[in-house]
């Protein structure tokens, strides 16, 4: 085990992108009335409550290693690396908007992180615990979690950081 040379601390930040304010559509089964008033929905807001954190680990041998965090359970799986301590955390996002309104949440499936030492690592398989057609709750809020798989190649080391954009719009 190559403990003394390659310590890996990984922290991926998710930052929101401004969600667009949508306007409710008129009834699609009703006759279209150009003079009918449009209903405005509350503006959507996105807050990152907890950042996705893969914790601190070290390579066990030359080559690559990975840490996977399940979006639903928060369970961590480590391959080719050894955890050195600290919690691994799923990312948590709170969306506020019009109660009961359906929304569309956009997140990339992959992302690249950069370390303070100039190395790169990939975050892939980014997934959420959202249902297929998410909707804002009666209280005007929707909270969801997300996870992913961090892969470090070629003995890359350092404190890896990056941003995972989250976009939200009314359906």
């Amino acid at each position: 085990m190559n403990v003394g040379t390659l310590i890996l601390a990984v922290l991926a930040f998710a930052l929101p992108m401004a969600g667009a304010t949508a306007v409710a559509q008129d009834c699609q089964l009703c006759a279209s009335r150009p003079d009918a008033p449009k209903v405005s929905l509350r503006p959507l807001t996105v807050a990152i409550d907890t950042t996705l954190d893969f914790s601190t680990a070290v390579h066990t041998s030359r080559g690559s290693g990975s840490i996977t965090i399940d979006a639903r359970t928060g369970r961590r799986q480590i391959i080719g690396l050894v955890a050195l301590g600290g919690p691994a955390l799923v990312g948590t996002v709170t969306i506020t908007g019009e109660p009961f309104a359906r929304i569309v949440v956009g997140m990339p499936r992959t992302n690249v992180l950069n370390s303070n030492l100039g190395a790169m690592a990939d975050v892939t398989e980014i997934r959420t615990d959202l249902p297929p057609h998410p909707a804002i709750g009666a209280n005007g809020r929707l909270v969801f979690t997300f996870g992913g798989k961090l892969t470090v190649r070629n003995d890359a080391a350092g404190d890896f950081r990056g941003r995972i954009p989250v976009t939200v719009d009314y359906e």
Side-chain angles (χ1 to χ4, degrees):
M1 187 162 72
N2 194 2
V3 176
T5 58
L6 299 170
I7 295 180
L8 168 71
V10 181
L11 181 63
F13 289 103
L15 293 180
M17 296 178 69
T21 302
V23 177
Q25 295 182 1
D26 294 327
C27 172
Q28 294 180 358
L29 300 176
C30 305
S32 177
R33 292 185 23 213
D35 61 333
K38 302 249 187 245
V39 178
S40 293
L41 300 176
R42 290 184 197 174
L44 289 165
T45 62
V46 179
I48 306 303
D49 301 320
T50 309
T51 59
L52 179 61
D53 189 340
F54 291 95
S55 187
T56 305
V58 65
H59 285 277
T60 58
S61 63
R62 294 213 138 330
S64 66
S66 66
I67 302 172
T68 303
I69 300 176
D70 184 88
R72 294 185 195 287
T73 65
R75 187 174 81 83
R76 175 175 60 177
Q77 178 184 19
I78 301 175
I79 298 172
L81 301 171
V82 173
L84 293 180
L89 303 169
V90 294
T92 306
V93 177
T94 299
I95 299 168
T96 58
E98 189 68 32
F100 306 109
R102 284 185 148 182
I103 59 170
V104 176
V105 177
M107 292 181 74
R109 299 281 293 160
T110 65
N111 201 10
V112 176
L113 304 181
N114 296 297
S115 84
N116 58 331
L117 301 175
M120 294 188 331
D122 299 313
V123 178
T124 58
E125 302 175 23
I126 298 172
R127 293 190 173 96
T128 72
D129 68 346
L130 287 168
H133 300 285
I136 304 288
N139 62 355
R141 294 171 22 114
L142 172 66
V143 178
F144 72 91
T145 58
F146 65 97
K149 178 180 182 179
L150 171 79
T151 302
V152 181
R153 290 181 174 70
N154 302 323
D155 298 330
D159 184 7
F160 290 85
R161 296 180 183 267
R163 294 182 178 183
I164 300 172
V166 176
T167 58
V168 179
D169 205 346
Y170 287 110
E171 193 172 86

